[in-house]
Amino acid sequence: MFKKVLIANRGEVAVRIIRACRELGIPTVAVYSEADANSLHVSLATEAYCIGPNESAKSYLNIPAIISAALISGADAIHPGYGFMSERADFAEICAKHNIKFIGPSPESMQLMGDKATARKTMMSKNVPITPGTGIITDVEEAKKQAEKFGYPVIVKATAGGGGKGMRVANNAEELEQNITLCRQEAEKFFGNPDVYMEKFLVNPRHIEVQIIADKFGNVIHLGERDCSIQRRHQKLVEEAPSPAVSTDIRKKLGEAAVRAAKAANYEGVGTIEFLLDKDKNFYFMEMNTRLQVEHGITEMISNIDIVREQINIAAGNKLSVRQDDVKLYGHAIECRINAEDPDRNFLPAPGEINGYITPGGFGVRVDSHVYSGYKIPPYYDSLISKVMTWAPTREEARRRMYRALKEYVITGVKTTLPFYQELIEDEVFIGGNFDTGFMNTYKQNK
Ligand code: MV4
């Protein structure tokens, strides 16, 4: 096992990882920016190093400072969490050069999945369903012919993009030509790679993602799906597991496709295969997230498997502790991401000092957070305060428990999205479970 793990992250995920390390008996190293000196991850870790000023670019993305902290402290592994360095193949390579284990997949797997056109090709070769589409577009006239064949609308995507960045929908040939030009310019500017490709555009699908875990011995398991359809501008708001739209039969097919996808990438570690599900219950591979995800906790609740503990164990070279046949999914879990944002002002970030704080508790309730009464939310990073998760045997019980937990939760001093969720959880479309990625567009209009 590792002698010491450095957590190259902040906020609730840093706390989550420190907790897993503690339970494994591994000392931890926190790194922090000047703005985060009073953050909970700093006091929970065994030791802590300031790695730079407030801005992420000078601290949590500062590779020399992070590597120096690892070398000085004698950490033999780095956990990148999510965001920041978590999907940077170059960072994983630098870790390897310094004899530090990057807790995540190989740089090669990350690169393969980071290039969306290559990922699609790889999936196609392993019979993982993908949307009708093209490879990298080289000839605009040829692209127009292809689009006629698929039928409009189509979506132009940057191969280096992902998570909703660098994509544009076209409804006709004229828009397609414009969007290819615009998308190429944006892709060059944001990702340093102008290559774009095209897919048939699915209108208001569900966002379904499958959690997988793979060890270095070629064992790959899946832990079922999460439904992340309720999102706003590609920020997830509510996630649940299992999806109300997925039957036992589809779950098996999704899980098997996800395992094939992970094997195709020679994947090692924890990861998520993102699919879109259409009205006829056809699913299509979208992308793979080669990291631990924010919403992993709801999968832990229905599977009873500690995903971060497995992740650290696997990175240390151990075998998966469970086989697919041992995975028993039970009950239903829901997560609400509570942010320091003003829902009445278009979710405007609302940093500041929390001066009163009472968390919900009781059976089936989990709150993952790094905040406390007196904590100042800095304006430099994302505005996530906490993740409220509830579990119960059925969806309706988990939903009612969520309502109860959200009503118990007190956060004063800053505006939060708590009131927004208290309303959403009682929305009749949400109660019915019959929603898709268009949910927030219609929800807003009716409020
Ligand atoms: C799509 C799509 C419809 N058709 N691709 C956005 C995030 C990225 N992972 C993929 N995305 C989409 N790709 C085709 N061919 C619709 C989206 C999409 C979306 C996907 C999941 C969750 C929310 C979304 C919101 C808008 C668009």
Side-chain angles (χ1 to χ4, degrees), residues 89-326:
D90 58 335
F91 179 66
E93 253 162 33
I94 292 168
C95 289
K97 283 204 181 101
H98 289 84
N99 253 326
I100 299 164
K101 175 66 188 177
F102 175 83
I103 302 181
S106 68
E108 292 76 22
S109 297
M110 267 192 261
Q111 248 152 7
L112 169 67
M113 288 305 186
D115 188 275
K116 310 300 162 195
T118 311
R120 274 169 62 84
K121 257 196 226 158
T122 310
M123 293 308 131
M124 198 157 60
S125 74
K126 302 288 176 195
N127 279 320
V128 178
I130 58 171
T131 47
T134 65
I136 304 296
I137 296 171
T138 52
D139 178 345
V140 174
E141 291 311 311
E142 175 59 27
K144 286 181 186 169
K145 272 191 213 154
Q146 292 281 319
E148 290 298 335
K149 203 179 80 194
F150 305 144
Y152 286 96
V154 296
I155 183 167
V156 181
K157 297 184 177 183
T159 191
K165 287 191 247 23
M167 49 182 61
R168 284 170 175 272
V169 179
N171 292 296
N172 52 54
E174 193 189 337
E175 284 181 13
L176 176 58
E177 184 160 348
Q178 284 171 357
N179 285 354
I180 290 171
T181 306
L182 289 169
C183 211
R184 277 178 179 156
Q185 286 167 359
E186 286 167 0
E188 174 63 47
K189 190 167 136 203
F190 290 112
F191 315 117
N193 174 358
D195 290 347
V196 301
Y197 66 101
M198 170 177 81
E199 290 176 33
K200 175 156 182 66
F201 181 70
L202 308 178
V203 180
N204 292 342
R206 288 180 89 118
H207 173 136
I208 307 289
E209 57 182 37
V210 179
Q211 179 71 56
I212 63 100
I213 316 183
D215 67 20
K216 72 167 188 182
F217 306 100
N219 304 303
V220 187
I221 62 168
H222 73 85
L223 305 181
E225 81 286 356
R226 296 184 285 261
D227 193 317
C228 307
S229 300
I230 300 188
Q231 49 80 44
R232 181 181 170 275
R233 298 183 181 170
H234 302 294
Q235 289 294 321
K236 292 166 187 166
L237 298 170
V238 182
E239 303 102 345
E240 60 182 291
S243 167
V246 171
S247 63
T248 310
D249 174 55
I250 303 283
R251 177 162 310 111
K252 189 157 182 285
K253 294 188 168 118
L254 272 167
E256 286 168 359
V259 168
R260 283 202 300 283
K263 286 185 172 164
N266 216 342
Y267 199 80
E268 185 189 320
V270 309
T272 301
I273 317 287
E274 180 188 320
F275 296 97
L276 296 186
L277 182 74
D278 71 14
K279 303 270 176 297
D280 302 321
K281 310 278 173 178
N282 301 306
F283 60 84
Y284 307 92
F285 169 85
M286 279 294 116
E287 44 194 79
M288 179 170 193
N289 297 312
T290 57
R291 59 164 191 278
L292 178 73
Q293 283 193 279
V294 177
E295 58 272 25
H296 72 278
I298 53 173
T299 299
E300 296 183 322
M301 287 176 118
I302 64 159
S303 68
N304 249 315
I305 292 171
D306 183 330
I307 294 171
V308 180
R309 184 188 176 94
E310 287 297 325
Q311 184 184 28
I312 296 167
N313 258 319
I314 280 163
N318 299 316
K319 260 174 88 166
L320 258 167
S321 77
V322 280
R323 291 163 304 173
Q324 189 68 59
D325 285 347
D326 304 327

